[in-house]
Amino acid sequence: MADGLCPALFVGLVALWVLTSSVLRTPLYALIVRRSQEPGRATAVALLGMGLASALAPYLGTVLKGVDPVLPFTLSGVSLALGTLGFVAWEARQRPANCLSPAMSAGRKPW
């Protein structure tokens, strides 16, 4: 009984992980498409970045295997901060400072 349960539990957990990870990515793409002047190009750049990160992750895992654990966490924190700053700069460049978005001009909340 326990032998048959473990693979099914593992498959169920993997399916749950796949569903939740895709749910977490969807708001990012919706925000990019909604706020971008060129939605196709912005989405392509975001997908390219995620693809490169996914391709480099196994390599970085083997390279950083013997390194102090503080370094990978520091690198991920710095990369998250740089990505956030880049996204903020990109969003500020997308719309002029004197222009309101259509949602804000109609009196609705933008989120």
Side-chain angles (χ1 to χ4, degrees), residues 9-22:
L9 180 64
F10 178 71
V11 169
L13 288 174
V14 169
L16 179 67
W17 174 70
V18 166
L19 291 173
T20 57
S21 67
S22 65

Side-chain angles (χ1 to χ4, degrees), residues 91-109:
E91 185 181 20
R93 213 175 44 214
Q94 290 295 312
R95 69 182 137 87
N98 60 359
C99 178
L100 292 176
S101 70
M104 292 177 77
S105 63
R108 293 180 288 154
K109 292 182 180 179

Side-chain angles (χ1 to χ4, degrees), residues 35-56:
R35 299 274 188 156
S36 178
Q37 293 173 356
E38 298 179 45
R41 183 175 177 193
T43 305
V45 169
L47 287 173
L48 178 66
M50 291 183 77
L52 289 174
S54 297
L56 287 176

